[in-house]
């Protein structure tokens, strides 16, 4: 994993974990033990799924941009299907509050995405600075094309 990938992973996992702890406390106060258990399970699910996705995309980025995009799309589809299967298979379980679980998953997923976006924008990894030589070459090519009839 490249250092920039690790920075993005940390930058998203830490805030999501903190919001998850807040969700557990809030759920315990509002929905009791079942709510706290649901929020804890949702926190684990979101952090594990999104971390695995980040690791897979980081690994794929070493191969090629096309592989990275394929890995990102595939990991997204697997995450959605896995959460859907988890929620549907645990629908009738009375051990925890399913509404708290669902809302916590949504809230933590949004938190992860926002934190990942913030770290990416702050680190400016999306900007490719042109090399000085290529800029000079482009300027020379532009000047020579203007001179020729």
């Amino acid at each position: 994993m490249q250092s920039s990938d690790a920075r993005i992973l940390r930058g998203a996992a830490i805030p999501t974990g903190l919001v998850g702890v807040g969700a557990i406390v809030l759920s315990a106060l509002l929905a009791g033990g079942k709510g706290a258990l649901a929020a804890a399970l949702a926190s684990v699910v979101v952090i594990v799924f999104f971390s695995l996705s980040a690791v897979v995309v980081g690994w794929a980025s070493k191969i090629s941009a096309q592989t990275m995009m394929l890995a990102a799309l595939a990991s997204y589809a697997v995450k959605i299907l896995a959460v859907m299967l988890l929620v549907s298979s645990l629908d009738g379980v009375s051990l925890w509050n399913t509404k708290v679980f669902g809302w916590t998953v949504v809230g933590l997923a949004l938190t992860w995405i926002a934190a990942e976006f913030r770290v990416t924008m702050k680190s400016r990894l999306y900007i490719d600075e042109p090399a000085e030589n290529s800029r000079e070459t482009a300027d020379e090519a532009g000047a020579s094309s203007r001179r020729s009839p």
Side-chain angles (χ1 to χ4, degrees):
M1 178 175 277
Q2 297 176 5
S3 64
S4 60
D5 296 334
R7 186 176 350 146
I8 291 171
L9 182 60
R10 275 192 314 274
I14 291 170
T16 304
L18 293 173
V19 171
V21 169
I24 293 168
V25 170
L26 185 63
S27 299
L29 294 173
L30 297 176
K34 289 183 178 186
L37 181 60
L41 179 63
S43 299
V44 169
V45 166
V46 169
I47 290 172
V48 167
F49 281 14
F50 277 79
S51 295
L52 285 174
S53 179
V55 169
V56 168
V57 171
W59 169 79
S61 70
K62 294 178 185 176
I63 298 171
S64 71
Q66 292 83 6
T67 306
M68 183 177 72
M69 182 56 103
L70 180 62
L73 292 172
S75 67
Y76 176 75
V78 168
K79 278 189 292 196
I80 296 299
L81 288 174
V83 169
M84 186 175 67
L85 288 172
L86 182 65
V87 169
S88 64
S89 67
L90 300 174
D91 186 33
V93 175
S94 61
L95 186 60
W96 63 75
N97 189 324
T98 54
K99 285 186 179 181
V100 170
F101 177 82
W103 283 110
T104 305
V105 165
V106 169
L108 292 179
L110 292 174
T111 301
W112 182 284
I113 292 166
E116 196 173 48
F117 181 76
R118 180 182 175 272
V119 170
T120 303
M121 296 303 280
K122 200 171 177 183
S123 61
R124 299 173 52 96
L125 296 172
Y126 57 92
I127 296 176
D128 274 341
E129 295 291 336
E132 285 299 318
N133 292 341
S134 64
R135 187 179 302 164
E136 290 170 6
T137 305
D139 289 343
E140 290 170 5
S144 66
S145 67
R146 286 186 292 244
R147 284 186 223 135
S148 59

